[in-house]
Amino acid sequence: MIAEDFELVKAIFSLVDEGIVSGYDAFRLEVEVNDDYILEELTVEKDSVEVTNAETDFNGAALYDLVQKLRALAKARGENWSEFVISYRHGEKVHTKFKY
């Protein structure tokens, strides 16, 4: 991952991490990226229970902007991914996967 990509992924992680209202043990953000919009699904695990309707307090427009910037950098390098997943469990590494 290139340095600019890394900074954008860190910003996406921070936005989501700080925006999960009731805390969490783990989360997974799946994002499908299109030219004009993104579809995202956030799965939050707390006390071994997974939910997709956890209360959040983050700016969706900021997430959209960060994701579109990340995709633009990838496209400029000839990478054409359409989805990515960022996941994290407390005390472990942040994992990012791109789907082409």
Side-chain angles (χ1 to χ4, degrees):
M1 191 178 296
I2 296 183
E4 287 176 282
D5 292 11
F6 183 71
E7 291 303 316
L8 288 169
V9 170
K10 279 181 20 181
I12 293 168
F13 171 82
S14 293
L15 184 72
V16 174
D17 176 55
E18 295 167 8
I20 299 174
V21 173
S22 297
Y24 65 89
D25 298 325
F27 76 79
R28 182 177 64 254
L29 175 67
E30 299 178 50
V31 181
E32 179 184 327
V33 185
N34 297 286
D35 291 334
D36 302 355
Y37 63 94
I38 64 172
L39 297 173
E40 76 267 357
E41 180 176 72
L42 177 64
T43 304
V44 175
E45 178 186 325
K46 181 151 175 109
D47 301 326
S48 300
V49 176
E50 283 190 358
V51 296
T52 56
N53 63 344
E55 184 179 357
T56 59
D57 183 24
F58 60 82
N59 186 327
L63 177 62
Y64 173 85
D65 186 52
L66 292 167
V67 169
Q68 291 294 10
K69 286 178 182 178
L70 182 63
R71 186 170 190 222
L73 288 172
K75 279 185 145 183
R77 291 190 305 272
E79 298 176 18
N80 195 24
W81 52 264
S82 59
E83 297 180 41
F84 80 93
V85 178
I86 185 168
S87 57
Y88 175 69
R89 177 171 296 282
H90 279 289
E92 297 180 9
K93 293 181 183 180
V94 175
H95 296 276
T96 306
K97 295 180 184 176
F98 294 90
K99 298 178 183 179
Y100 294 85

